[in-house]
């Protein structure tokens, strides 16, 4: 019999200490937990898409540069030829590439908190130092204090989600510029939710070679494709490109993304509808006494419940087959907070009904 190796003897201690990112099962639920676009495509569009997929050669490796996708991205979003594009299997993978490339011993990732949890998780995976800087209680940024934090920590990279998840807030342009002026290393502006806001940091690229702008098609209706992208100066992107696995964007994703971007207007219209529904949903929630509903520039709303009620409300919704995100405990500033993704009008109504019922039975 061969000797059985014990993983705990060989796996890095910091990885042994982690637990896997929990993704709850959502089968049979109204799914308002993950900022997905609830809308599908018109039937005719679907047919054309399937036709295109039918001509894809799955026996061949994908185009390693995915030039077709990049070209469609440039056209849809007006990305100038002077800037490079790097594609990732979701922007999660791009965060990982950036961290891997910058993970010199002792190198630091700095990000305001609460923000996207992947920045911290991936810092850990890459054995980087992670530094979270607390936002104000209203989730605005204390600019001077943050600049001091930059001076003190000398971060290899600063991550700013614009709009921010899970708060839905945005940073002021003068804050972004002050950070870009002060940061000694790279600054990543993560525009995952740009479709639901007026945010567009691409113009800042002209002025700031230490900026890269990260986007994704996930929140605008293509979460299943896994396609994120980074736009910026060749000097940075060429380094990240070296560690990108050659075929990280598969043929079906490439074909589907090209097709979807040729119909970018459909995605934008859906985003517009979601923004209108966000307003409706916010107004409905504001009718309920004792709730704080934060203004949001994204496709979700952050809600502060009466003290110590968030978990019970989350469970009460779950019992009624509505899945949202409970953020109580995720960060001190998120005490008593829930996050709900904006769904279709029917889903939002079902959520409101279930929420009212859950509140009444507390
Ligand atoms: C959802 C999200 C992402 C991840 O996007 P993928 O492209 O699906 O990996 C990145 N940043 C923020 C702030 C997000 O909320």
């Amino acid at each position: 019999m061969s000797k059985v190796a014990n993983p705990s003897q060989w796996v890095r201690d910091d990885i042994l200490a982690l637990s896997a990112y929990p993704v709850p099962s959502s089968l049979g639920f109204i799914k308002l937990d993950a900022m997905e676009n609830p809308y599908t495509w018109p039937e005719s569009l679907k047919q054309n898409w399937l036709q295109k997929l039918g001509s894809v050669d799955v026996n061949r490796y994908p185009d390693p540069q995915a030039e077709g996708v990049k070209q469609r991205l440039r056209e849809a979003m007006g990305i100038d030829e002077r800037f490079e594009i790097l594609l990732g299997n979701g922007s999660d993978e791009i965060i990982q590439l950036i961290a891997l490339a910058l993970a010199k011993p002792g190198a630091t990732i700095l990000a305001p908190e609460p923000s996207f949890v992947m920045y911290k998780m991936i810092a850990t995976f890459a054995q980087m130092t992670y530094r979270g800087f607390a936002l104000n209680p209203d989730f605005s940024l204390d600019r001077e204090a943050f600049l001091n934090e930059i001076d003190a920590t000398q971060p290899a990279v600063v991550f700013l989600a614009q709009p921010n998840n899970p708060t839905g807030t945005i940073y002021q342009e003068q804050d972004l510029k002050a950070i870009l002026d002060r940061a000694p290393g790279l600054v990543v502006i993560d525009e995952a939710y740009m479709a639901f806001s007026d945010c567009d940091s691409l113009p800042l690229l002209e002025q700031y070679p230490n900026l890269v702008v990260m986007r994704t098609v996930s929140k605008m209706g293509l979460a299943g494709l896994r396609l994120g992208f980074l736009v910026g100066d060749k000097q940075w992107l060429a380094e990240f490109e070296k560690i990108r696995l050659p075929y990280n964007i598969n043929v079906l994703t490439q074909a589907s993304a090209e097709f979807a971007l040729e119909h970018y207007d459909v995605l934008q219209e859906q985003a517009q509808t979601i923004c209108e529904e966000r307003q409706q949903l916010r107004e409905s929630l504001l009718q309920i006494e004792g709730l704080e509903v934060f203004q949001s520039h994204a496709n979700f709303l952050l809600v502060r419940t009466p003290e110590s009620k968030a978990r019970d409300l989350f469970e009460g919704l779950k019992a009624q087959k509505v899945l949202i995100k409970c953020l109580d405990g995720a960060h001190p500033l998120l005490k008593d907070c829930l996050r709900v993704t904006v769904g279709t009008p029917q889903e939002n109504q079902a959520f409101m009904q279930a929420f009212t019922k859950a509140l009444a039975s507390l």
Side-chain angles (χ1 to χ4, degrees):
M1 215 173 99
S2 68
K3 211 172 111 217
V4 180
N6 179 3
S8 63
Q9 185 187 344
W10 298 101
V11 175
R12 271 164 40 190
D13 290 339
D14 55 342
I15 291 177
L16 287 174
L18 295 175
S19 36
Y21 185 71
V23 179
S25 164
S26 56
L27 206 69
F29 280 79
I30 294 181
K31 197 170 180 315
L32 303 175
D33 65 326
M35 282 79 87
E36 291 145 327
N37 172 342
Y39 299 106
T40 53
W41 292 342
E43 196 50 40
S44 63
L45 213 55
K46 236 182 218 174
Q47 288 308 321
N48 292 345
W49 170 49
L50 290 177
Q51 210 160 27
K52 173 150 181 164
L53 287 184
S55 68
V56 169
D57 292 325
V58 289
N59 55 320
R60 301 292 176 194
Y61 280 106
D63 171 2
Q65 285 304 326
E67 286 301 344
V69 176
K70 289 182 186 171
Q71 198 46 46
R72 297 302 177 289
L73 284 172
R74 287 189 189 280
E75 288 158 10
M77 300 188 182
I79 302 168
D80 195 281
E81 290 289 341
R82 277 172 302 158
F83 303 113
E84 287 291 314
I85 300 178
L86 175 139
L87 302 180
N89 190 327
S91 38
D92 288 350
E93 191 190 39
I94 295 176
I95 301 169
Q96 189 182 47
L97 287 176
I98 293 171
L100 277 176
L102 301 183
K104 288 191 187 188
T108 296
I109 288 183
L110 172 65
E113 274 189 350
S115 188
F116 189 44
V117 292
M118 281 293 159
Y119 307 147
K120 183 178 184 177
M121 283 174 53
I122 289 174
T124 307
F125 302 162
Q127 297 187 293
M128 293 181 83
T129 302
Y130 173 80
R131 181 81 191 164
F133 173 87
L135 292 167
N136 295 321
D138 67 354
F139 304 122
S140 62
L141 180 74
D142 181 339
R143 188 205 311 177
E144 284 312 311
F146 191 69
L147 295 177
N148 290 336
E149 187 73 15
I150 289 177
D151 291 345
T153 55
Q154 294 292 297
V157 53
V158 178
F159 278 97
L160 301 165
Q162 172 81 334
N164 190 32
N165 170 17
T167 61
T169 45
I170 52 172
Y171 302 106
Q172 302 303 310
E173 174 145 309
Q174 61 263 36
D175 291 350
L176 297 177
K177 288 183 169 174
I179 292 164
L180 284 158
D181 279 327
R182 197 76 150 255
L186 184 66
V187 177
V188 181
I189 298 184
D190 177 352
E191 291 188 331
Y193 299 97
M194 58 156 301
F196 314 99
S197 73
D198 299 324
C199 296
D200 179 4
S201 298
L202 292 179
L204 288 173
L205 288 171
E206 314 266 354
Q207 211 180 327
Y208 296 99
N210 59 334
L211 168 67
V212 289
V213 178
M214 187 168 71
R215 291 182 177 178
T216 174
V217 298
S218 293
K219 310 293 156 62
M220 57 169 101
L222 303 167
L225 289 188
R226 306 307 298 133
L227 180 71
F229 56 104
L230 192 68
V231 184
D233 198 277
K234 192 181 170 84
Q235 287 203 20
W236 284 103
L237 267 62
E239 300 304 325
F240 304 142
E241 185 65 25
K242 292 177 190 170
I243 51 172
R244 182 182 66 80
L245 297 177
Y247 305 118
N248 63 333
I249 313 298
N250 72 68
V251 284
L252 296 178
T253 293
Q254 291 194 25
S256 302
E258 282 180 29
F259 178 80
L261 289 164
E262 282 161 15
H263 302 279
Y264 192 51
D265 53 326
V266 176
L267 301 180
Q268 283 179 307
E269 274 166 37
Q270 292 179 343
Q272 191 49 44
T273 306
I274 291 167
C275 288
E276 286 157 21
E277 283 304 312
R278 171 180 72 201
Q279 185 57 23
Q280 289 284 326
L281 182 60
R282 183 162 189 270
E283 279 163 22
S284 305
L285 283 164
L286 283 170
Q287 301 292 312
I288 299 176
E289 211 177 314
L291 292 185
E292 187 176 2
V293 188
F294 293 90
Q295 281 281 5
S296 170
H297 297 262
N299 61 343
F300 57 82
L301 289 169
L302 185 71
V303 180
R304 178 162 281 128
T305 68
E307 182 149 7
S308 314
K309 299 298 181 217
R311 279 163 205 263
D312 291 344
L313 285 168
F314 171 76
E315 291 298 337
L317 283 165
K318 208 167 143 189
Q320 299 174 76
K321 290 284 174 193
V322 178
L323 193 61
I324 62 166
K325 179 88 175 171
C326 180
L327 292 165
D328 183 70
H331 188 276
L333 289 172
L334 295 171
K335 192 170 157 12
D336 303 318
C337 283
L338 299 171
R339 186 191 65 198
V340 55
T341 305
V342 179
T344 62
Q346 295 83 341
E347 288 174 327
N348 300 337
Q349 263 166 30
F351 161 76
M352 282 306 300
Q353 252 175 27
F355 192 73
T356 311
K357 199 166 154 198
L359 259 175
S361 59
L362 279 182

